[in-house]
Amino acid sequence: MRENILLLYRINHSLSLTDSVRSKVVELIDSMGISCKLNSMIHELSQGEQQRVAICRALLPAPNLLLADEPKGNLNPKNKARILDLLFEHAHKSKATLIILTHDMTLLDHFEKIIYFESFRQR
């Protein structure tokens, strides 16, 4: 799982794989609640665990733009809250833009701007 999260650093030579990056991997895994799976192969993980690994991989390089399509899918209620908290925390700390596509109307209060794609439907 650790290598899966570090994949971007292995294939993109403009990113430096430093000790601080390796430490951040451990922090992200801990924050996702999957540290006990650190040395597991990706195919040994549940769908929800795989989704959390993908989120770790996306957050590792500290992007300025986060696009999340139904980030709570495949997760139990406890992990849904954890993921949302982590995404919002990252966006706030790094002043990143967070765009979430969702059918979950309970998330709307968390955003400054909401766009309903239904309004773009051609009639």
Side-chain angles (χ1 to χ4, degrees), residues 29-46:
I29 290 170
D30 285 343
S31 69
M32 292 288 177
I34 51 176
S35 56
C36 62
K37 305 280 186 167
L38 184 61
N39 296 314
S40 297
M41 299 297 290
I42 200 72
H43 67 271
E44 297 171 337
L45 305 176
S46 70

Side-chain angles (χ1 to χ4, degrees), residues 14-29:
S14 68
L15 296 172
S16 300
L17 185 53
T18 63
D19 288 339
S20 67
V21 169
R22 291 179 199 277
S23 295
K24 188 173 178 184
V25 167
V26 174
E27 289 173 26
L28 284 168
I29 290 170

Side-chain angles (χ1 to χ4, degrees), residues 37-95:
K37 305 280 186 167
L38 184 61
N39 296 314
S40 297
M41 299 297 290
I42 200 72
H43 67 271
E44 297 171 337
L45 305 176
S46 70
Q47 274 191 303
E49 290 166 340
Q50 289 177 15
Q51 187 169 356
R52 288 182 274 166
V53 168
I55 293 170
C56 288
R57 192 172 51 244
L59 293 179
L60 185 61
N64 292 325
L65 174 63
L66 288 168
L67 302 173
D69 184 4
E70 295 291 354
K72 299 184 333 173
N74 300 320
L75 299 175
N76 62 40
K78 178 182 173 187
N79 286 320
K80 286 178 182 184
R82 176 182 282 164
I83 296 308
L84 288 174
D85 289 346
L86 188 65
L87 289 172
F88 285 116
E89 179 183 326
H90 170 79
H92 180 73
K93 276 185 186 176
S94 61
K95 297 187 172 131

